DNA sequence: TTAAAATGTTAGATGAATCTAATAAAATAA
DNA sequence: TTATTTTATTAGATTCATCTAACATTTTAA
């Protein structure tokens, strides 16, 4: 395991990886809130440790070893979030920041015990899948709410960000994981949706519907 | 709050403080496993932050502010230990290292919730008192087992160190917080004690009896 | 009471993670 | 296709926590 900083780089690279797995230095710098040269030197260091592959002026990409490390951190983060909600009774909007700290705790016992107490859960409070000890991720097929056609009825299964402002908004709008909703109308001008949840109409902006996953 | 390193210095100074509150640089260096000049420069830094008072060639001493900080960290450590044992079902000998990490987690919510779930406990699994949010420590009068006269019957209420090798030994000897024992004989040569616990004789070396507190 | 030992201090170096300023390469637009 | 903009790199500085080596002070013991 690397330093706290290294762990954060690995995690950020993982979360920014799209189809190709390539991540740009600029995106990384923005995500980590550091300047470009900082990313540059750190990336070189991670390349020496075989966590990433990298060629000058090309993007950066996790190796298998790097991916495994990322998934181990994500596992700890998501277990911690679920534990904080289910066992400790905290709200889903307030657990992210605590989990950001707990994910760096080095103790297999601590996390295995959490896993046991939670009865080997498949997903965190935001619907995100929890990798197993070997870094395997339960597959999932999910669609953004923004992609669903008018008239359809769907179930909300996940959110794609777990930052407090977003979750606070969902709480206010009374949207939760597991809710079943019907798409009533899509406003062509701004892409906002009018949805129906147990008889009540709720208006959600496109920024919100892009971050809600349904099935 | 200071850096992780600063927190560790404060905590070590607190735990090394005896009657006078003065701590020598040499002791601090040994405890923190760093060299003397390192302690020297860190101590100067902590003095600027008014966490300690210090004059050249004299020992170092926590200010009221420093003591408060120390007690806040100790509160977190002890709550975490108790939580790991009571809620998460870990053994008292394995929780110290995890608590060393958890004590640096910055979240009042996390710790207040623990406190609540544990029903505002007074002591950790090793019998050490848990400071309250204001840094107040429940007073305690306790005697080392090594000081108790032959023939007396006493109750074990605390241990003075919570490192694994020591606790493993206690587990092997079947000594636990809350046990009632009778001092049968003190061996003059090495200070070891023969004690009686529910009919069984147990031999404890002086190194052990000095670290067991009774009432 | 002076010499030796223990303890504390200063100076200067190192590695980690960051920065700014200057420069180079690649991608995009005129 | 050349000029402009975006993206990445290099060089050199800074801060934190640490180190070693040399020196100073205080305590202890001969």
């Amino acid at each position: 395991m690397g330093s706290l900083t290294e762990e954060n780089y690995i995690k950020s690279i993982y979360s920014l990886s799209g189809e190709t797995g390539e991540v740009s230095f600029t995106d990384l710098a923005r995500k980590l809130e550091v300047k470009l040269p900082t990313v540059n030197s750190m990336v070189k260091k991670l390349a020496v440790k075989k966590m990433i592959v990298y060629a000058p002026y090309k993007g950066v990409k996790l190796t298998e070893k790097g991916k495994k490390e990322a998934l181990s951190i994500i596992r700890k983060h998501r277990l911690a979030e679920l534990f904080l909600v289910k066992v400790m009774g905290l709200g889903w909007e307030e657990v992210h920041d605590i989990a950001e700290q707990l994910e760096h705790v080095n103790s297999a016992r601590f996390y295995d015990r959490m896993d046991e107490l939670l009865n080997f859960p498949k997903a965190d409070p935001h619907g995100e899948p929890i990798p197993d000890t070997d870094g395997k991720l339960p597959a999932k097929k999910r669609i953004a709410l923004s992609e669903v056609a008018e008239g359809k009825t769907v179930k909300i299964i996940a959110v794609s960000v777990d930052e407090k402002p977003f979750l606070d908004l969902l709480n206010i709008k009374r949207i939760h994981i597991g809710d079943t909703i019907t798409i009533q109308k899509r406003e062509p001008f701004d892409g906002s949706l009018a949805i129906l949840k147990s008889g009540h109409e709720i208006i959600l902006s496109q920024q919100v519907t892009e971050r809600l996953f349904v099935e």
Side-chain angles (χ1 to χ4, degrees), chain A:
Chain A
M1 219 170 342
S3 67
L4 198 146
T5 308
E6 280 168 27
E7 290 194 0
N8 284 331
Y9 274 78
I10 298 285
K11 195 174 60 135
S12 296
I13 294 169
Y14 183 91
S15 77
L16 291 172
S17 301
E19 285 298 291
T20 65
E22 305 255 312
V23 174
S24 82
F25 284 58
T26 311
D27 290 350
L28 242 190
R30 186 173 33 241
K31 175 107 181 174
L32 290 162
E33 298 182 302
V34 297
K35 302 296 179 189
L36 265 176
T38 309
V39 169
N40 200 278
S41 56
M42 199 65 198
V43 155
K44 282 179 181 169
K45 188 169 157 190
L46 290 170
V48 171
K49 296 197 176 183
K50 309 275 187 212
M51 303 303 274
I52 60 160
V53 285
Y54 141 88
Y57 291 102
K58 298 275 170 280
V60 58
K61 205 173 159 177
L62 289 176
T63 59
E64 278 312 307
K65 187 180 168 197
K67 259 181 226 161
K68 211 168 166 185
E69 172 84 3
L71 286 164
S72 141
I73 302 165
I74 288 167
R75 170 181 157 79
K76 295 198 273 176
H77 182 103
R78 293 183 183 163
L79 274 177
E81 286 203 340
L82 195 62
F83 184 85
L84 291 167
V85 169
K86 293 273 180 190
V87 177
M88 297 191 66
L90 297 171
W92 76 328
E93 75 290 346
E94 60 183 341
V95 297
H96 177 74
D97 292 348
I98 305 175
E100 285 281 307
Q101 300 181 63
L102 292 179
E103 76 192 7
H104 301 293
V105 167
N106 176 16
S107 166
R109 275 292 276 151
F110 183 51
Y111 282 100
D112 290 349
R113 200 68 198 99
M114 263 191 199
D115 203 12
E116 239 176 291
L117 287 171
L118 293 166
N119 206 21
F120 310 101
K122 290 262 189 311
D124 78 5
H126 313 101
E128 292 298 321
I130 298 174
D132 67 21
T133 328
D134 305 326
K136 292 229 186 345
L137 208 52
K140 53 171 178 184
K141 43 170 181 20
R142 37 181 232 187
I143 315 145
L145 179 55
S146 55
E147 305 301 315
V148 178
E150 283 181 18
K152 296 261 182 192
T153 293
V154 292
K155 189 168 137 196
I156 295 173
I157 55 167
V159 295
S160 69
V161 295
D162 60 357
E163 272 130 41
K164 195 164 184 302
F166 179 58
L167 301 175
D168 282 342
L169 174 63
L170 293 184
N171 281 338
I172 287 167
K173 300 258 187 188
R174 307 207 192 292
I175 301 283
H176 302 105
I177 303 292
D179 288 355
T180 296
I181 59 168
T182 302
I183 287 84
Q184 218 166 16
K185 181 162 175 16
R186 169 169 287 109
E187 172 57 52
F189 175 65
D190 62 3
S192 63
L193 289 189
I195 65 164
L196 214 56
K197 180 193 154 183
S198 41
H200 296 281
E201 188 184 80
I202 304 173
I203 306 291
L204 299 176
S205 71
Q206 183 158 27
Q207 290 96 307
V208 170
T209 59
E210 279 169 350
R211 291 168 175 75
L212 281 176
F213 292 111
V214 299
E215 64 171 17

